[in-house]
Amino acid sequence: MRSGSLMRISVDFKPDVRRASPLDLSRAYAIDVLRSLRRLAFKNVRRTHDVVDAEYNSGEWGRILAERAWLQEPTLEEFLVGQNQAPRLAKVDGQIVRISTCDYYRYRLGALSQLISRHAGGATSLLELGAGFGYNLFSLGLDPRWSRLRGLDIAPNGIEAGRQIASHFKLDDRISFNRIDLTNPGDPAFVELADATILTYFCIEQIPYAVADVVDHILKARPGRVINIEPAIDMLGFSDPRDIASRIYIRSMDYQTRLWTLLDELERKGRIRVIARERMSFAPTLHNDGLLYTWEPLRDSD
């Protein structure tokens, strides 16, 4: 499949869904909260570099690289959507519904494309930090709007899997991967951020003890615009069972909770301009919604 022959993502795909019943939700929330409480009580996760490497580079990305499932699918879209017909509870258009797993991920292709296009302004090039093996970039790559998509990550297995997928689907002229250590201000890959439209998607969640430093490194690289989609407690209430489940889950996973406070502070100091804040309308689970901030550096700031 040549990149020039890609079909535009169908943003009109309407999955077959059924509104989750109160019984569905009460059972699911109870199970979810119990799992998080068990994790807090017995595992006491601290999200260090070694933990993240084990979960992703040696874990998820290593498995994806070893399986090479993309070789078994006729198209990139079918690889991204998968064949899993198992039902799940997920957030679709702001509502919790019962949906098949593959239908959710087919719906997500259009939902992600619409979301990023709405916040990217007129950009036709996008750089994702913490891209992993490029699931988001390949999803966006189905839309010919994007002339160039770049992924930077610290995980060698994710980078290698992304490069192999891009090569297999003849997309390496549009989608590329390289290494960056966001915690190292001297990393040479930071020069790629200059004037770029940047995306982070559940990436900064993985480095809760370096959030301020990483934001400072990104800001000093002078990107054109940044779209952060990360977990947050800032828009979670205390009366909604789903919000309570999300709060406990975020704490049990030791994800970051400081990013949005930091960005608001930078805006008050006149270093950035926040363009948009919104809660995500889609999620594959009952917990850990993304909160989106779109912001731009102010050019006359330090």
Side-chain angles (χ1 to χ4, degrees):
M1 179 175 61
R2 296 288 173 183
S3 59
S5 64
L6 287 173
M7 298 295 290
R8 181 175 293 277
I9 295 171
S10 174
V11 297
D12 299 322
F13 173 68
K14 301 298 181 186
D16 183 16
V17 301
R18 177 170 61 83
R19 186 78 174 267
S21 70
L23 182 59
D24 282 337
L25 292 175
S26 60
R27 286 175 174 170
Y29 290 139
I31 292 170
D32 200 278
V33 168
L34 284 173
R35 285 174 176 167
S36 293
L37 290 175
R38 189 180 301 117
R39 192 181 298 112
L40 278 170
F42 297 107
K43 292 183 68 176
N44 194 24
V45 172
R46 182 174 171 84
R47 196 148 292 278
T48 63
H49 171 80
D50 289 344
V51 166
V52 175
D53 182 84
E55 287 185 8
Y56 291 95
N57 183 57
S58 303
E60 187 71 6
W61 308 154
R63 178 187 63 80
I64 288 171
L65 181 60
E67 291 177 354
R68 291 176 168 79
W70 59 87
L71 298 177
Q72 310 305 317
E73 299 296 345
T75 66
L76 175 62
E77 182 173 339
E78 293 309 307
F79 166 65
L80 295 171
V81 169
Q83 305 295 329
N84 187 353
Q85 297 285 344
R88 67 193 301 148
L89 292 179
K91 189 177 186 181
V92 171
D93 295 338
Q95 302 293 328
I96 304 301
V97 301
R98 185 170 290 279
I99 184 174
S100 74
T101 296
C102 58
D103 270 3
Y104 172 78
Y105 283 103
R106 197 176 301 278
Y107 153 80
R108 185 188 185 275
L109 295 176
L112 181 69
S113 178
Q114 285 183 311
L115 179 72
I116 302 304
S117 293
R118 181 158 52 86
H119 288 281
T124 59
S125 175
L126 185 75
L127 189 157
E128 183 178 9
L129 299 176
F133 75 95
Y135 190 93
N136 290 326
L137 296 180
F138 289 119
S139 297
L140 295 172
L142 293 169
D143 187 340
R145 168 205 170 120
W146 300 104
S147 61
R148 188 182 185 199
L149 294 160
R150 292 174 287 164
L152 298 178
D153 202 286
I154 198 172
N157 286 333
I159 294 167
E160 179 59 24
R163 287 173 174 171
Q164 290 191 26
I165 296 166
S167 176
H168 176 71
F169 290 109
K170 307 289 193 298
L171 289 169
D172 37 8
D173 59 335
R174 291 175 63 220
I175 304 178
S176 61
F177 295 87
N178 213 331
R179 185 186 184 280
I180 193 170
D181 179 354
L182 292 173
T183 66
N184 176 12
D187 193 301
F190 272 108
V191 300
E192 294 195 44
L193 276 60
D195 297 318
T197 299
I198 307 295
L199 169 67
T200 74
Y201 195 104
F202 290 76
C203 159
I204 295 178
E205 69 171 4
Q206 300 292 335
I207 42 178
Y209 307 107
V211 172
D213 288 341
V214 167
V215 171
D216 189 57
H217 303 160
I218 293 171
L219 191 54
K220 287 178 177 176
R222 294 296 187 185
R225 177 174 289 195
V226 180
I227 304 167
N228 292 129
I229 300 173
E230 301 288 346
I233 60 172
D234 305 67
M235 296 182 73
L236 301 178
F238 291 94
S239 58
D240 187 327
R242 188 162 186 270
D243 286 1
I244 294 171
S246 293
R247 283 179 177 273
I248 298 172
Y249 176 77
I250 290 170
R251 182 181 173 193
S252 75
M253 296 300 293
D254 194 29
Y255 288 148
Q256 73 81 27
T257 57
R258 300 178 53 212
L259 177 60
W260 314 119
T261 299
L262 176 62
L263 293 178
D264 286 341
E265 181 181 341
L266 289 172
E267 183 178 44
R268 286 192 298 271
K269 291 180 176 179
R271 296 191 65 192
I272 69 171
R273 177 172 67 97
V274 176
I275 299 168
R277 300 172 175 88
E278 65 180 74
R279 191 167 177 174
M280 297 284 284
S281 64
F282 59 92
T285 64
L286 290 179
H287 55 242
N288 206 18
D289 273 7
L291 178 60
L292 177 148
Y293 266 49
T294 302
W295 56 274
E296 294 177 347
L298 293 177
R299 295 298 178 177
D300 58 351
S301 66
D302 292 335

